[in-house]
Amino acid sequence: MRQYHRATIRLFHAPLPPVYANENTAIATRSTCIPESSPEVPGVPGPRRLQTGVAISKISASSGGFTGILEDQAAFGASLAWLGDLDGDGVTDLAVGGGERRMGGSTQSLWILLLNSNGTTKSQTKASSEAAGFPEATDASAQFGDALAAVGDLDGDSVPDVAVGAPFEVTDRTTRGAVWLLFLNSNGSVKSYTKIINDGNSGFSGDVESLDVFGGALACPGDVNGDSVPDLAVGASGDQDGGASAGAVWILFLGTGGAV
C-alpha cells in the first residue's frame, strides 16, 4: 500500500528571464500537461505569463492561499493537470487529485484551483461524489482522481474541461475502472459529466475486464481523427493481453459533449 505524508504542491517559476507557464514545465504524477498554445486542443487559450521574480509558490493546507480542508493522509497533489484559463483572468488554472486513505477504503476527491499570477490560490472548488454536479456516487475505493488530463473545451462553452480516472471503479460487481469527463463552470465547479465505462450505455464497447486498471493513466493527444474534437488516451496497466498485467492503452475518439 502506498504511503502518503505531507499534502503539498510547489509551483516553481524561473526568477529571470520570464517564462511561459506552458513552456514544457510541469510537476505531475500519472497526469498530463497540455501546452496552452497547442493548436490541436480546441478551447485551450494561448500562453499566459506567470508573475516573474517568484522562485517558489507552495500550495498546502497552511500556505499558498488554499483554504480547503485537508485531513491526515489527504494525498493532495497525487495527480495534477494544467487546465487552461477557466475564469478569464489571463492565468492558467490547475486540477489537483487526492484522497484520504482510511482503514477499509478511501475517499477520493478532485480540487479545481483558480490561481493568481504569483502561483497562489485565488479560490478552490472541491469536486467529489458528495459535491454538486455528481448525481451519481463514486465507489469509496474507486481511486477517483488517480489520473487527470486536460481535454480542452469539449462542450463548446469556452471553459476548459478535465478527464478524471477512477481505475478501481466497480461496475456490475466487477472492478473494471472508469473515466469521468467533467464539464466545468468558469468558477471551477462541475456543471455536468459523462462517465466512460464498459457498461453498454456510455458508447464505449471495449473489452475491459476485472482489474485491468482502466483509467489509471490519462493523456490528451489532441485531435487524432481530424473531427476538431480532442481525443483521449486511457491506460489499462492490468490488461492481460499478451501476458499477466502486460498492459494496454485505449485511444478514445470523443465527440462533442464527450460521447465516445
Side-chain angles (χ1 to χ4, degrees):
M1 180 177 293
R2 291 175 291 178
Q3 298 296 317
Y4 296 88
H5 302 287
R6 286 190 174 183
T8 61
I9 297 173
R10 289 182 172 88
L11 302 180
F12 294 83
H13 313 301
L16 285 175
V19 296
Y20 286 111
N22 67 334
E23 200 173 71
N24 298 322
T25 57
I27 302 171
T29 301
R30 289 165 290 131
S31 304
T32 297
C33 178
I34 295 178
E36 291 180 81
S37 58
S38 172
E40 298 186 1
V41 186
V44 177
R48 299 292 188 268
R49 291 180 184 271
L50 295 178
Q51 177 177 311
T52 60
V54 179
I56 295 176
S57 176
K58 178 183 178 182
I59 300 174
S60 71
S62 60
S63 62
F66 182 82
T67 58
I69 297 175
L70 299 177
E71 301 181 3
D72 290 346
Q73 299 187 25
F76 180 75
S79 55
L80 302 172
W82 290 112
L83 297 178
D85 182 10
L86 270 70
D87 57 352
D89 65 351
V91 179
T92 188
D93 301 308
L94 182 66
V96 183
E100 181 184 355
R101 272 65 174 179
R102 295 178 178 176
M103 187 68 69
S106 63
T107 301
Q108 299 296 122
S109 62
L110 170 70
W111 294 87
I112 305 298
L113 307 187
L114 303 185
L115 299 180
N116 296 307
S117 61
N118 62 358
T120 59
T121 305
K122 179 166 62 174
S123 66
Q124 72 276 320
T125 300
K126 183 179 181 181
S128 68
S129 59
E130 295 81 21
F134 279 87
E136 179 180 350
T138 58
D139 298 317
S141 58
Q143 300 294 76
F144 175 84
D146 248 22
L148 303 173
V151 291
D153 178 17
L154 287 175
D155 58 355
D157 65 352
S158 299
V159 178
D161 304 309
V162 63
V164 183
F168 297 101
E169 180 84 15
V170 175
T171 301
D172 296 332
R173 299 182 181 181
T174 302
T175 307
R176 298 178 184 173
V179 175
W180 301 70
L181 297 176
L182 305 186
F183 306 105
L184 302 177
N185 294 308
S186 59
N187 64 358
S189 61
V190 177
K191 178 173 60 176
S192 61
Y193 72 89
T194 293
K195 185 178 180 181
I196 300 174
I197 196 167
N198 185 11
D199 62 355
N201 298 316
S202 67
F204 175 67
S205 57
D207 184 16
V208 176
E209 300 180 351
S210 179
L211 298 179
D212 273 3
V213 200
F214 178 79
L218 301 173
C220 181
D223 180 16
V224 175
N225 61 345
D227 64 354
S228 299
V229 180
D231 301 308
L232 186 65
V234 181
S237 61
D239 190 280
Q240 303 295 314
D241 288 358
S245 297
V249 175
W250 295 86
I251 307 298
L252 308 186
F253 299 109
L254 303 180
T256 302
V260 179

